[in-house]
Amino acid sequence: MNVSATVRLIGRILYGLILVVIGGALAFGGAKLILLGGSFYYLPAGLATLAAGVAVLMGRWRNGAMIYLGLMVVSLVWGLAEAGLDGWALAPRVLSPFVLGLPFLLVAVFAGQRTDRLAGLGSAAVAVVLAIAVAATSGFQPVEAANRVHPVTAADTTGDWLHLGNTQWGTTYSELAGINRENVGELELAWRLPIGPMPAKPLSQTQAVPLKVGDHLYVCTPFDDILDVEPETGKIRWHYQAKPNLEGLYVTRCRGMSYYAVPEASSACAQRVYVAGSDGNLFALDALTGKLCEGFGDGGEVDLLAGLQQRNRGYYRVTSPAAVIRGKLVVGGAVADGQYVGEPSGVIRAYDAVTGELAWAWDMDNPESRNGPKPGEFYSSGTPNSWGPMSADEELGLVYVPTGNATPDYWGGHRSEASNRYASSVVALDAETGEPRWSFQTTHYDVWDYDVASQPVLFDLRKDGKVIPAILQNNKRGQLFVLDRRNGKPIYPVVEKPAPQDGAVEKLSPTQPWSTELPDLGGPPPTERNMWGITALDQLWCRVKFREARFDGSFTPPGVTSSISYPGYFGGVNWASASIDTRRQMAFILSNHMVNYNRLVPRSDPAVKDLKADSSGNLGGLAAQEGTPYAADIRFFFSPLGVPCQQPPHGMINAVDLETGKMVWSRPLGSARDLGPMGVPSHLPFTIGTPLFGGAMSTAGGVVFTGGAQDHTFRAFDSETGKLLFEADIPGMSATKPMTYRSDRNGRQYVVVASDAPHKGGSAFAAITAFALPAK
């Protein structure tokens, strides 16, 4: 036997063995799926693949090819019946078996059998599959065709960006219109500021939204350093190094800063920039020099850990900027998820913006103690915190606080009456006293980690000939609640609907609130049919796991058997909230369609017998939940190849008309270019709709900007139609919101976005990127 024949023999044996192994796995999994009440496709598909492999091993190549071609035809018909012309949904159903069968086609073609009927049929099957894939993965259609176009009109503004969301109201909207839908496609890189090296913490992220005040642009890093840069060039004027205490911290991030101009002051620290740091320090800097304001707190700093009980450092951190209202800085905080009963308090505190003295504290379990705890005492432990950004209304004198659920997250039997009342809510506090004026709960007795992470967005709603002071509160469930911000009463109806109870290990709320006349951004509910994977094998794995779990729709109770949580704790809508174009009365929101796979693990289980709380722990596996009867095993529902089990899209950008309550347009956001199995980039340019970490920013120019997808791309869309107008590469994923400003020096408008850059040598890096129209 010559070398060529030997190589062919070895290749045939290897290929036959691959078919036998894959066919056996498909058949075994398919039989299991049938027993669970699932699809009948995989068992016969596995047997056919197995038979084709046996034929190849026996030297009956043509017989194996004919068997496999029959499987391809059946797979094509079945795939179209299940998924239609959705290219990503067809990938594991049709493209995966096509790739596995490529050797049959290659042998037929390159062995000179082009006229063979087998080769002809194979080529026809290939053409059909490829045509379907290309047609299905190109383009998008809006949910509703937008037929209303508002003219672009310029506004007389300062061109500054003074708060996280531009204004105290958190609209993330600018009246600037120098960059508009007609010219945004001409944007070019104006400057880029590299940041780093920084410590490579597991969940450190560059989420900064810069502030622009006059001739200064302020930027913070995940480790609370502050930079003052020239708005036109990105050149650093001064750099304050915070040097935080990182002991025990698993998450470090700075979403933004706070700015305050002291009334009638002209000396040092007349203008101030504040950062509430990850390590629990609130510090004030002179906005012009970067030096600590010595008269604020203790030498320029206030210790936010004062009055808090925690086992060790790291359980408490601050990641969102303080809200500024009536000369006060109002701050919340975050804790390590799911660790133990009695984690640090969720107290909300207000400090004098000049002196740093405590103005008031809202401790929901001890509401009379507005001046803080007495010496030797502490704020109430384990109460719901507020880790997302707040908003404020100077005229009404209210600060709007989004709250999480009480720790640990997936058991509530120990929670106080006040915790159950105020958890997963938006609470309006009196800015002068800290007293609650009203509250609205978005999830009752929350045991799904449905924190209200999103910044409440204030706006004046034009509806039915009236102007109503309103607040938009979205949440991880993907619900949009529009309330009267004076009293918290719903403007659009909110209906209590029955919630599932089967499988619960404790008494849950019998009903949950639903906003019935606004779009639901939670995505389609998971079903066996819309389980996904890169290949037929991991799709089958996902289908089996889905069938093995309990799923009774939204609010399926966590229990000792596996359950599906939809949406998962990632959302829905996360911290970046909505951008509201106040002229057009439109909200632009990035949403996720992500699912969790949950199980409560009894203490008697050997897997958790020795599990202890850890400040460096985070939900995404086993969480101790010390002090409760159960640990919690909470995971993203991913296949063994590291891709979501729910089929794409996983992330959407949505436009909602707040006056009518209707969806104007909605489209998947982000390509598969930088995503792939096991974290390996696929380099595929097709739109898939990636999981989204950031948010959007809109302008009077009729443009919506975002960099929130995972494909390292910054984009601009027409706010009326959703048409893509501009895109450019940025150094990494952007997990924040863009901002815009106009230069006081040259009059140009800039659009700025922060992003993480690839890690190098064990260190983290980031970048701030600015775009502008070409200089004239």
Side-chain angles (χ1 to χ4, degrees), residues 195-440:
I195 298 176
M198 300 175 288
K201 286 281 183 177
L203 282 181
S204 294
Q205 227 173 29
T206 304
Q207 296 186 346
V209 179
L211 302 182
K212 192 269 185 180
V213 184
D215 193 33
H216 301 265
L217 186 71
Y218 301 103
V219 176
C220 65
T221 76
F223 297 92
D224 306 322
D225 286 7
I226 307 299
L227 296 84
D228 174 15
V229 305
E230 292 182 355
E232 300 80 16
T233 66
K235 181 180 178 180
I236 298 175
R237 288 198 180 103
W238 54 257
H239 178 181
Y240 175 79
Q241 295 180 300
K243 299 178 182 179
N245 184 343
L246 302 179
E247 180 185 352
L249 285 173
Y250 185 72
V251 178
T252 58
R253 54 195 55 165
C254 173
R255 295 193 175 94
M257 303 140 287
S258 307
Y259 170 79
Y260 181 67
V262 180
E264 300 179 3
S266 57
S267 57
C269 289
Q271 299 180 66
R272 304 179 178 209
V273 175
Y274 306 85
V275 167
S278 294
D279 65 346
N281 271 333
L282 172 65
F283 57 89
L285 302 179
D286 187 312
L288 300 182
T289 67
K291 295 181 179 180
L292 285 169
C293 296
E294 297 291 338
F296 180 83
D298 183 5
E301 299 183 358
V302 169
D303 182 9
L304 297 178
L305 299 181
L308 300 181
Q309 279 185 305
Q310 56 178 339
R311 291 186 178 180
N312 52 265
R313 291 187 67 93
Y315 281 103
Y316 183 86
R317 59 187 179 270
V318 185
T319 55
S320 295
V324 180
I325 179 171
R326 296 190 175 181
K328 299 177 183 65
L329 306 170
V330 185
V331 293
V335 298
D337 280 340
Q339 297 306 311
Y340 67 93
V341 171
E343 288 196 48
S345 176
V347 60
I348 307 299
R349 289 168 285 183
Y351 295 90
D352 186 287
V354 177
T355 67
E357 294 181 358
L358 181 69
W360 52 258
W362 178 52
D363 180 353
M364 64 181 69
D365 273 356
N366 189 12
E368 302 305 319
S369 179
R370 301 226 178 266
N371 296 320
K374 297 176 181 178
E377 298 181 352
F378 299 93
Y379 292 111
S380 303
S381 295
T383 50
N385 55 24
S386 178
W387 62 266
M390 305 176 193
S391 300
D393 187 322
E394 285 278 354
E395 182 178 346
L396 293 177
L398 296 178
V399 58
Y400 299 91
V401 179
T403 65
N405 60 348
T407 58
D409 301 79
Y410 291 85
W411 168 264
H414 62 286
R415 295 173 183 169
S416 67
E417 181 180 347
S419 290
N420 283 329
R421 176 182 178 184
Y422 290 115
S424 303
S425 302
V426 55
V427 183
L429 299 180
D430 188 304
E432 300 293 349
T433 66
E435 182 180 354
R437 293 266 198 92
W438 59 260
S439 65
F440 177 87

Side-chain angles (χ1 to χ4, degrees), residues 518-673:
L518 288 163
D520 184 342
L521 303 185
T527 63
E528 186 207 323
R529 176 174 287 197
N530 65 24
M531 290 296 100
W532 193 63
I534 294 294
T535 70
L537 282 174
D538 63 321
Q539 183 188 42
L540 171 59
W541 184 92
C542 289
R543 294 177 88 134
V544 169
K545 297 299 287 184
F546 178 81
R547 284 288 182 177
E548 288 178 337
R550 288 180 295 107
F551 181 62
D552 298 321
S554 294
F555 299 108
T556 296
V560 294
T561 59
S562 296
S563 63
I564 301 291
S565 179
Y566 146 79
Y569 64 71
F570 190 61
V573 184
N574 213 289
W575 77 269
S577 194
S579 168
I580 294 184
D581 183 329
T582 53
R583 290 191 177 200
R584 296 174 175 84
Q585 296 278 285
M586 289 177 65
F588 305 98
I589 309 168
L590 271 56
S591 61
N592 289 290
H593 301 168
M594 299 292 287
V595 176
N596 283 137
Y597 205 85
N598 301 343
R599 185 169 75 92
L600 296 180
V601 187
R603 295 288 169 203
S604 58
D605 191 309
V608 301
K609 189 174 182 180
D610 298 321
L611 186 65
K612 301 296 183 183
D614 184 354
S615 66
S616 65
N618 202 67
L619 289 178
L622 282 172
Q625 295 206 138
E626 281 188 31
T628 75
Y630 306 95
D633 190 358
I634 311 298
R635 303 174 190 271
F636 285 124
F637 191 11
F638 280 9
S639 85
L641 295 182
V643 300
C645 276
Q646 194 169 8
Q647 74 184 34
H650 304 120
M652 306 287 289
I653 180 170
N654 312 277
V656 178
D657 187 322
L658 295 171
E659 189 172 350
T660 66
K662 304 297 183 183
M663 185 80 81
V664 180
W665 53 264
S666 179
R667 61 175 292 165
L669 180 62
S671 74
R673 184 186 67 178

Side-chain angles (χ1 to χ4, degrees), residues 128-162:
V128 172
V129 171
L130 292 180
I132 291 172
V134 171
T137 54
S138 61
F140 89 101
Q141 291 295 325
V143 169
E144 294 183 16
N147 55 14
R148 51 197 265 279
V149 177
H150 293 75
V152 173
T153 55
D156 182 17
T157 66
T158 63
D160 283 348
W161 190 281
L162 301 180

